[in-house]
Amino acid sequence: MNNWVVDAIGKINADAHRSADTHLFKLPLPRLEGIDIYLKDESTHPTGSLKHRLARSLFLYALCNGEIKEDMTVVEASSGSTAVSEAYFARMIGVPFIAVLPKSTARSKISQIEFYGGQTHFVESAPQMHGASVELAASIGGYFMDQFTFAERATDWRGNNNIAESIFTQMEREPHPVPSVLVMSAGTGGTSATLGRYIRYRGYDTRLTVVDPENSVFYDSYMTGDRSLVSDKSSRIEGIGRPKVEHSFQPGVIDKMLQVPDAASIATMLWLEKLIGRKAGPSTGTNLWGALKSAQEMAKLGQSGSIVTLLCDGGERYLDTCYDPTWVSTCVGDYEQYAVELDGDFS
Ligand SMILES: *Cc1c(COP(=O)(O)O)cnc(C)c1O
């Protein structure tokens, strides 16, 4: 293999080797007798979200496949955390990076991509991102990373300290070491694919519940088996929910899906801040709402056990959206009923 490629793979692996694992912490919820809920804190990666894992996997996959070579520009369709994390790895191995994003993308996101040395290429609206990325990569002899296609296959689902193996190892000394339920939302669907495959591969007695926000077709596609569903709306919960069924979404490994109202996601995100004194992003609210509902179901059946879900990113990225009451009342609406329910049932 080419020396540059060997060197690039070495740099990415060394970065992973310098990292400690992300913390799995137990929520203080005494009202849930015999049921423990844990959050795996993915906000502590160097680029602040679970997309750090995805970006590392996508770069390694493309390098090992011989797709990324010295001086080749990497292109991605992402206005979010994936572009931020990929810009970090592109700079690490010394290749240019261009994020293709809608011109409505928040200034703070663009700054983060630029902070890691990434460039930006704007399109009118989100549905044009994919086509524009294919074209841009072809016209400059670059490589289109294509997270929504490759997320599920770039990760080593059998182990290699992927997020699933990490969760099951970290749970080993807990009162209920094998979780009854893992709860995760889907953006690319890559993380839920890894969790679901790992559960089956290791034969764990754990169910995978995937939570879906409003304006996403994943839930309906799961219920009907129709992969051609599309929607003309975009999800308001950043990072999750898609207007089309992405290749990386793997319904076969999911045991159950649950639709979560956006107002419930926001209410849970704000409720979590009161509980742990830290701000998480809105998809963490969606995840935790699903975990709390799963806990209620278990309690009703008289079961005890543990439930694990993810804190996907920190709330600092959302101060002018989900943490801004004006934005919330305009874009999402009233969440009072969910706040009351959370306080009544769990606080
Ligand atoms: C990408 C993302 C998710 C979903 O993860 P996937 O593995 O892409 O399905 C959840 N929350 C946030 C904040 C994300 O950026």
Side-chain angles (χ1 to χ4, degrees):
M1 202 166 28
N2 166 300
N3 278 341
W4 181 85
V5 174
V6 172
D7 194 45
I9 292 170
K11 283 177 181 158
I12 295 174
N13 282 330
D15 182 67
H17 194 74
R18 288 193 298 273
S19 282
D21 207 342
T22 59
H23 201 81
L24 182 66
F25 63 87
K26 189 174 181 173
L27 290 181
L29 292 171
R31 299 268 305 269
L32 283 175
E33 251 176 89
I35 301 171
D36 300 324
I37 297 185
Y38 298 80
L39 273 181
K40 184 150 175 72
D41 184 3
E42 294 291 296
S43 73
T44 59
H45 289 290
T47 55
S49 81
L50 81 169
K51 289 302 189 309
H52 198 79
R53 294 180 190 269
L54 174 63
R56 177 196 296 139
S57 296
L58 287 169
F59 267 93
L60 287 174
Y61 185 69
L63 284 163
C64 292
N65 285 338
E67 300 282 6
I68 300 178
K69 304 190 181 73
E70 192 167 4
D71 296 329
M72 189 182 255
T73 299
V74 171
V75 175
E76 181 66 286
S78 161
S79 55
S81 306
T82 304
V84 176
S85 300
E86 287 178 350
Y88 169 93
F89 284 104
R91 186 165 73 179
M92 177 181 295
I93 66 169
V95 295
F97 176 77
I98 306 176
V100 175
L101 28 99
K103 63 178 192 195
S104 60
T105 304
R107 187 61 236 172
S108 59
K109 279 289 175 50
I110 299 168
S111 318
Q112 279 183 316
I113 296 166
E114 288 171 347
F115 176 81
Y116 290 112
Q119 301 162 55
T120 47
H121 175 92
F122 292 99
V123 294
E124 280 302 311
S125 66
Q128 298 166 352
M129 289 158 72
H130 185 96
S133 301
V134 173
E135 260 172 48
L136 177 64
S139 71
I140 59 175
Y143 178 70
F144 175 30
M145 201 66 119
D146 199 357
Q147 55 166 338
F148 291 108
T149 298
F150 296 113
E152 58 88 9
R153 74 195 79 160
T155 299
D156 298 323
W157 54 270
R158 293 180 192 83
N160 191 17
N161 198 32
N162 67 30
I163 191 161
E165 185 172 61
S166 166
I167 288 170
F168 281 91
T169 306
Q170 288 178 317
M171 285 295 293
E172 274 167 3
R173 299 190 185 188
E174 298 307 304
H176 305 285
V178 175
S180 302
V181 191
L182 298 185
V183 179
M184 180 55 190
S185 43
T188 62
T191 306
S192 46
T194 299
L195 295 173
R197 288 167 175 164
Y198 189 80
I199 290 168
R200 283 165 177 73
Y201 177 62
R202 297 295 298 264
Y204 287 120
D205 188 14
T206 302
R207 296 187 301 281
L208 173 63
T209 293
V210 169
V211 282
D212 206 31
E214 291 171 33
N215 301 326
S216 172
V217 296
F218 286 146
Y219 177 83
D220 286 339
S221 169
Y222 180 77
M223 299 309 281
T224 60
D226 184 353
R227 285 195 78 104
S228 70
L229 296 179
V230 288
S231 151
D232 54 7
K233 299 200 192 109
S234 356
S235 168
R236 291 177 294 226
I237 306 297
E238 250 187 68
I240 63 171
R242 297 288 300 162
K244 68 186 226 271
V245 186
E246 304 293 348
H247 292 287
S248 282
F249 178 70
Q250 302 286 311
V253 305
I254 299 169
D255 296 298
K256 178 181 172 177
M257 280 195 71
L258 191 71
Q259 268 180 318
V260 178
D262 291 351
S265 297
I266 300 292
T268 313
M269 178 193 86
L270 296 171
W271 179 79
L272 177 66
E273 187 186 4
K274 285 191 286 176
L275 191 69
I276 64 172
R278 285 182 43 200
K279 287 184 166 66
S283 69
T284 302
T286 316
N287 289 351
L288 183 55
W289 178 266
L292 292 166
K293 290 284 138 185
S294 305
Q296 275 179 330
E297 267 174 36
M298 286 173 63
K300 224 181 272 168
L301 296 168
Q303 298 168 346
S304 55
S306 58
I307 300 172
V308 180
T309 192
L310 268 60
L311 194 166
C312 297
D313 61 359
E316 297 69 30
R317 292 181 173 182
Y318 307 97
L319 296 180
D320 51 4
T321 54
C322 306
Y323 282 94
D324 173 13
T326 312
W327 185 92
V328 172
S329 68
T330 315
C331 298
V332 178
D334 189 16
Y335 58 84
E336 186 61 22
Q337 86 180 86
Y338 301 106
V340 168
E341 188 177 333
L342 289 164
D343 281 336
D345 291 351
F346 303 105
S347 292

